[in-house]
Amino acid sequence: MTVRPIVITGEPVLHQRAQPVESFDDHLRALVADMFETMDAAHGVGLAAPQIGVGLRIFTWQMENSDGAPDRGVIVNPYVSPSKPAQEDPDPHDEVEGCLSVPGESFPLKRGEKASVSGFDVDGNEVSFEATGWFARCMQHEYDHLNGFLYVDRLNDKWGRKAKKAVRRNGWGKPGHSWMPGVDPDPFGHDSPDEHDL
């Protein structure tokens, strides 16, 4: 298992649709092991393969939930169907997301309160469950990565402008930026997993 660098917004792999996994083999299992190792080192609750520069439809998570899904898991070639988010503005205290590929920044975003999740495990067995609350948010966030979207792409006008300023301020938005979990300073300044850093 190897901790891999996490690429930052502007890297092309983050902004294009990932490709389906075609072979459920030792190569896939090794990649998933690296993803778990990287997610843990980054204190993240989720990680999509494009975030380590691999354009495949895979994401991992580590999040307690009351939905009957494993607290720690992986899904390959997933399909996530969320409920429609409420139309009001997001709560700036209780609906704040962060992302390991937009390190150190966080912004409020409205998401669907529920999500149907289906796909496969690393051995090609079918997986399906219903996610709610923050676990549903995590599933939507990671699934977006596989379709070429970051959460900052979904922000309303007010928070979207702030996010664009933050990207410019940090010199991101173009290829070549990454950070190394466990080596570089933790961009979110914590030593234990935080539920908002996906």
Side-chain angles (χ1 to χ4, degrees):
M1 294 183 292
T2 304
V3 175
R4 301 201 193 187
I6 294 176
V7 296
I8 293 173
T9 183
E11 197 64 37
V13 69
L14 291 172
H15 305 287
Q16 58 198 25
R17 186 177 175 84
Q19 297 301 304
V21 171
E22 296 182 352
S23 299
F24 292 79
D25 54 14
D26 287 344
H27 177 74
L28 173 63
R29 282 183 277 276
L31 172 60
V32 169
D34 287 355
M35 289 176 65
F36 276 121
E37 192 83 354
T38 303
M39 179 180 70
D40 292 346
H43 303 300
V45 298
L47 186 74
Q51 293 183 273
I52 57 167
V54 178
L56 291 174
R57 300 186 73 77
I58 312 164
F59 67 74
T60 57
W61 73 85
Q62 172 72 52
M63 179 180 274
E64 290 184 8
N65 66 85
S66 56
D67 301 311
D71 290 347
R72 184 176 178 85
V74 58
I75 194 158
V76 180
N77 296 340
Y79 179 71
V80 176
S81 177
S83 60
K84 192 171 182 180
Q87 291 302 303
E88 66 260 22
D89 287 341
D91 187 298
H93 303 290
D94 295 334
E95 294 181 300
V96 175
E97 280 187 36
C99 179
L100 298 174
S101 291
V102 191
E105 303 293 339
S106 55
F107 300 98
L109 175 63
K110 209 74 174 170
R111 294 266 193 193
E113 281 295 312
K114 298 179 181 178
S116 298
V117 182
S118 60
F120 302 89
D121 66 16
V122 290
D123 298 314
N125 301 308
E126 289 189 14
V127 175
S128 66
F129 53 86
E130 299 292 318
T132 61
W134 269 96
F135 189 47
R137 180 181 289 270
C138 176
M139 297 297 101
Q140 293 169 71
H141 180 115
E142 300 307 333
Y143 187 62
D144 273 353
H145 276 302
L146 306 186
N147 295 320
F149 298 102
L150 302 182
Y151 86 102
V152 291
D153 299 324
R154 295 196 178 278
L155 300 175
N156 65 20
D157 288 346
K158 173 186 174 181
W159 296 110
R161 285 193 299 272
K162 290 179 182 295
K164 286 175 183 174
K165 286 180 181 177
V167 168
R168 285 196 302 270
R169 184 177 68 245
N170 285 291
W172 303 331
K174 53 186 181 283
H177 295 282
S178 65
W179 68 280
M180 190 67 185
V183 176
D184 293 329
D186 186 305
F188 289 96
H190 54 243
D191 297 317
S192 59
D194 183 292
E195 65 180 355
H196 299 159
D197 306 335
L198 305 163

